[in-house]
Amino acid sequence: MLRYILRRLAWSVPTLLLVTFLVYLALRIGTDPVESYKRVNPRASRAKIQQYIDINGLDPNFVQGYIKWLKNFITGEWAPSIKGRREVWPALKDAMANTLRLGTAATVVGIFFGLIAGVLAALRPGGRRDVFINTSAFVGISIPPFISAILLQLLFAVYWQRWFGESLFPTSGVYPAGHTGFDLFLMLKFMALPTIIVAIQIIATYSRYMRSSLLDVMNSDYMRTARSKGISERRILIKHGMRNALIPVVTIAALDVGSIVGGLIITENIFAYPGMGLYFLKSFGDGDFPLLMPWMVVIVASILLFNLIADISYAWLDPRIRLE
Amino acid sequence: MALRRFVSHKAAVVSCIIIGILALFVILAPFTARYGVNQSVQAPPNSFLSPRSNAWLGTDDIGRDLYSRLIYGVRVSLLIGLASALISVTLGALVGAVAGFRGGKFDDILMRVTDLFLAFPFLVTLLVVRNVLGGLPWLKPLTGEMNSVRFIIVLFSIFGWMGVARIVRGQVLSLKEREFVEAARAVGASRRYIIARHLLPNSVGPIMVALTFSVVGAIIGESTLAFFGYGPQAGDGATSLGILVGAAKGAVQTGFWWLAVFPCLMLIIIALSINFIGDALRDATDPRLDRSV
């Protein structure tokens, strides 16, 4: 097991290098970082531009440029952002913290309710409850997050204010303008709508996964054996059914980070929530190469990490699987 | 048999009727729309009129009829959806069939690339690929301007084929071990013949399902792009569902509910109906999958 993990970790280094090289290429071709620098600083001297090119590794030769960028990235010599010449790391760190908070909240809420809905549906397959949960999940998956965001904002923020004098949930930011310090209640209020919107997608997806996984398990031989031993239905469901049904679900959860981050990006933008998504869309719109590359590295690294977690958890939870 | 199973899926039948009516409305746009795309319903003041008799769904910021604009918008969006789905499914089916049949290096590389693509957050990949396409000057003759409808179609074709290739590959992998393929090989059929006459026709079910889901994917994708300001531009007075949904964002805070609700509802109806049809097609063409159990 340990050897497997170490080998996978060793492999993830070249993968990370290759993918970041591809991202570097795509950004070089797609956003033309030198041009966007000149656009923001129209009167920059030639020496300034050369300095910018050097520190970001923007040589005309892509491979040499990438190696130069990589060297500066690893040694911590990060270029300041094009717009406003801000330090990149503090901005990235804040964005990561905010997204982690929103993402964790939405994932916990989403998986919790999703699993419950899936189990309820699978208990009596074909029943009225099953049809209801299945159909709602289908509708939930079909509605893109920005649509539900618009409609919920309209209802809970704008029209709630017209009808009841005060909006139930605010529509943007983490705190009201001018607020300082930490206030849990206020923060929860601001996070409620974005969390709900991301969670809807997760609930819909996981109730379907859990349902089909539990149905598979329910029809297996060891469930029949457990039943024939005279164990109560409740105990069978929890000790034998749920535990085994969760194995594939956990794996999918770990593999699914990309799509959860995708939902977060869209939601954050609509609610002006200062996380990774807003960071990306802003810097992408500005063509801000020094801000974009570290963001991409973080995203690629976390996808690789969660892939690894998926494989390991699979083997760890299911003793029949041997990783060698 | 397949048809009977399809018809037994009630939601799908209703969806077919809805999509049919929509298609009719959209094809007959010059008759069904009450005003032109950029025509205002009355002399100013005419902006942000709530729904009324001369503008059934209200008007937008410069007094244009939302109902007529929705019809014209859905027309463009359906065109984008159908065109890019057809291209990407054709491409994906061919690549997937060849990869599944031949296996080896080609197959490995293809699946790695697909995994990588699908692991990334959708919007990030979409935006980056969009800019790369726009940044390659030798692609200009094929893609046109970056904010044209043609560019969007090319973008979603490039984007969509991988998912289809993966599905078809899986299908072909299981089909190629079957007896009738072995029999064809035994009598000396060429690879191309086996793929074209045995493997692809037997994968029609999954391919059709992939086609319906690609249509939805492209329509939602176009809306997403437009929502974030990267969609097709309203050149020549054209509009699209994405442009209308994008305008909804601005209407929320000001409380012009009709501008937000109707385009969003239209997108939901289209996405749900086509998804239901795809779901029913999957049930109908895959006998192993019995949903009632």
Side-chain angles (χ1 to χ4, degrees):
Chain A
M1 189 72 171
L2 187 68
R3 256 178 62 199
Y4 173 79
I5 296 175
L6 286 178
R7 205 177 61 205
R8 278 289 302 265
L9 276 177
W11 259 111
S12 63
V13 176
T15 317
L16 188 62
L17 289 181
L18 182 71
V19 177
T20 47
F21 177 63
L22 292 178
V23 169
Y24 170 89
L25 273 185
L27 286 181
R28 284 288 305 267
I29 299 170
T31 59
D32 201 342
V34 182
E35 269 311 305
S36 35
Y37 182 78
K38 286 182 190 157
R39 203 166 49 235
V40 177
N41 308 298
R43 271 179 289 174
S45 63
R46 185 162 294 179
K48 267 269 161 65
I49 295 176
Q50 192 52 47
Q51 191 197 355
Y52 166 79
I53 290 176
D54 278 343
I55 191 164
N56 282 303
L58 297 173
D59 301 36
N61 182 324
F62 286 157
V63 178
Q64 275 173 11
Y66 174 73
I67 292 171
K68 215 183 228 173
W69 169 83
L70 189 68
K71 213 183 99 209
N72 284 343
F73 181 80
I74 292 174
T75 52
E77 276 190 52
W78 293 15
S81 70
I82 295 180
K83 227 177 180 177
R85 294 192 61 79
R86 280 180 302 142
E87 290 257 8
V88 172
W89 174 241
L92 187 65
K93 200 179 61 184
D94 285 351
M96 274 192 319
N98 281 333
T99 290
L100 262 179
R101 198 165 54 203
L102 182 60
T104 316
T107 314
V108 169
V109 171
I111 290 190
F112 180 73
F113 287 107
L115 293 189
I116 290 181
V119 172
L120 286 180
L123 281 184
R124 228 168 281 131
R128 198 173 293 170
R129 195 169 61 193
D130 180 33
V131 172
F132 174 74
I133 290 176
N134 238 341
T135 315
S136 327
F138 197 78
V139 174
I141 290 175
S142 301
I143 301 177
F146 58 94
I147 296 289
S148 47
I150 290 181
L151 295 179
L152 288 181
Q153 271 192 347
L154 193 70
L155 179 65
F156 285 119
V158 179
Y159 271 84
W160 203 275
Q161 191 164 25
R162 291 200 181 173
W163 294 331
F164 304 105
E166 193 188 350
S167 69
L168 185 60
F169 298 119
T171 54
S172 67
V174 190
Y175 287 122
H179 181 91
T180 49
F182 180 77
D183 183 340
L184 184 67
F185 180 71
L186 207 59
M187 196 173 82
L188 287 181
K189 204 171 155 180
F190 269 79
M191 274 174 58
L193 270 190
T195 308
I196 291 172
I197 284 155
V198 183
I200 288 176
Q201 304 273 317
I202 302 177
I203 293 174
T205 320
Y206 283 91
S207 66
R208 284 164 71 99
Y209 286 151
M210 189 63 193
R211 176 182 179 273
S212 68
S213 171
L214 192 56
L215 279 182
D216 276 352
V217 169
M218 287 300 210
N219 294 328
S220 62
D221 291 342
Y222 57 82
M223 290 298 276
R224 204 183 50 205
T225 312
R227 248 186 225 119
S228 66
K229 282 197 291 189
I231 305 173
S232 73
E233 268 305 310
R234 194 193 167 82
R235 223 181 125 87
I236 291 177
L237 179 71
I238 292 171
K239 270 210 89 164
H240 299 252
M242 296 269 279
R243 283 178 72 164
N244 283 305
L246 275 174
I247 294 172
V249 176
V250 168
T251 313
I252 293 168
L255 286 176
D256 225 23
V257 218
S259 71
I260 292 179
V261 173
L264 283 171
I265 290 177
I266 293 172
T267 315
E268 282 179 0
N269 181 271
I270 297 168
F271 288 92
Y273 185 88
M276 294 289 274
L278 206 60
Y279 176 108
F280 169 75
L281 281 169
K282 255 196 196 137
S283 44
F284 187 79
D286 296 339
D288 209 325
F289 186 81
L291 282 172
L292 279 172
M293 272 315 279
W295 189 90
M296 289 288 185
V297 174
V298 170
I299 293 291
V300 175
S302 47
I303 290 173
L304 287 178
L305 178 71
F306 277 97
N307 261 306
L308 180 64
I309 292 177
D311 286 349
I312 293 172
S313 68
Y314 201 55
W316 184 61
L317 291 169
D318 191 341
R320 286 171 301 186
I321 293 168
R322 291 268 163 271
L323 300 174
E324 276 319 325
Chain B
M1 187 61 189
L3 183 70
R4 208 171 63 214
R5 269 202 298 260
F6 183 84
V7 171
S8 71
H9 195 308
K10 286 193 198 71
V13 177
V14 175
S15 304
C16 273
I17 296 172
I18 292 177
I19 291 292
I21 294 174
L22 259 179
L24 212 64
F25 259 73
V26 158
I27 293 167
L28 299 175
F31 304 105
T32 48
R34 302 173 73 201
Y35 303 91
V37 197
N38 280 335
Q39 190 185 353
S40 47
V41 294
Q42 62 185 51
N46 55 10
S47 48
F48 298 124
L49 298 177
S50 57
R52 61 194 59 210
S53 63
N54 68 346
W56 287 334
L57 303 183
T59 65
D60 65 2
D61 50 345
I62 48 177
R64 296 173 295 192
D65 180 32
L66 183 60
Y67 163 76
S68 314
R69 282 178 69 74
L70 262 181
I71 290 182
Y72 284 109
V74 170
R75 179 147 86 159
V76 173
S77 284
L78 281 184
L79 176 77
I80 291 176
L82 279 177
S84 47
L86 280 177
I87 300 175
S88 60
V89 166
T90 314
L91 206 66
L94 284 178
V95 176
V98 173
F101 193 62
R102 291 193 38 188
K105 272 255 162 56
F106 177 64
D107 188 34
D108 280 350
I109 293 173
L110 182 80
M111 283 304 117
R112 277 291 149 89
V113 174
T114 314
D115 282 344
L116 190 72
F117 237 74
L118 298 179
F120 256 91
F122 170 70
L123 187 62
V124 176
T125 335
L126 193 60
L127 287 181
V128 172
V129 171
R130 171 186 178 273
N131 272 20
V132 171
L133 278 186
L136 296 172
W138 44 270
L139 269 177
K140 243 324 162 358
L142 175 71
T143 57
E145 287 304 316
M146 250 175 112
N147 47 20
S148 65
V149 170
R150 185 153 59 134
F151 182 86
I152 300 284
I153 292 175
V154 173
L155 176 62
F156 287 121
S157 308
I158 290 177
F159 220 77
W161 68 268
M162 284 190 242
V164 185
R166 181 191 279 218
I167 294 169
V168 173
R169 169 184 174 271
Q171 184 77 7
V172 165
L173 273 184
S174 72
L175 279 177
K176 77 173 181 186
E177 305 300 331
R178 299 267 288 275
E179 289 84 357
F180 64 90
V181 176
E182 205 173 320
R185 215 178 286 150
V187 295
S190 70
R191 271 186 192 160
R192 185 181 298 186
Y193 181 87
I194 293 178
I195 290 182
R197 299 306 285 275
H198 291 292
L199 297 180
L200 281 178
N202 273 297
S203 316
V204 157
I207 291 176
M208 286 295 291
V209 175
L211 183 73
T212 54
F213 289 134
S214 313
V215 174
V216 182
I219 290 177
I220 289 183
E222 188 265 335
S223 295
T224 315
L225 275 184
F227 189 84
F228 292 104
Y230 294 98
Q233 288 303 303
D236 307 330
T239 187
S240 75
L241 207 47
I243 292 173
L244 295 172
V245 172
K249 185 164 56 166
V252 168
Q253 294 299 334
T254 40
F256 301 120
W257 59 270
W258 55 94
L259 284 180
V261 169
F262 293 124
C264 289
L265 272 186
M266 186 51 91
L267 188 63
I268 293 177
I269 290 173
I270 293 177
L272 254 186
S273 307
I274 303 181
N275 272 345
F276 270 127
I277 295 174
D279 199 43
L281 272 179
R282 179 162 52 198
D283 288 0
T285 53
D286 189 352
R288 285 162 303 173
L289 215 118
D290 196 348
R291 279 298 168 85
S292 60
V293 181

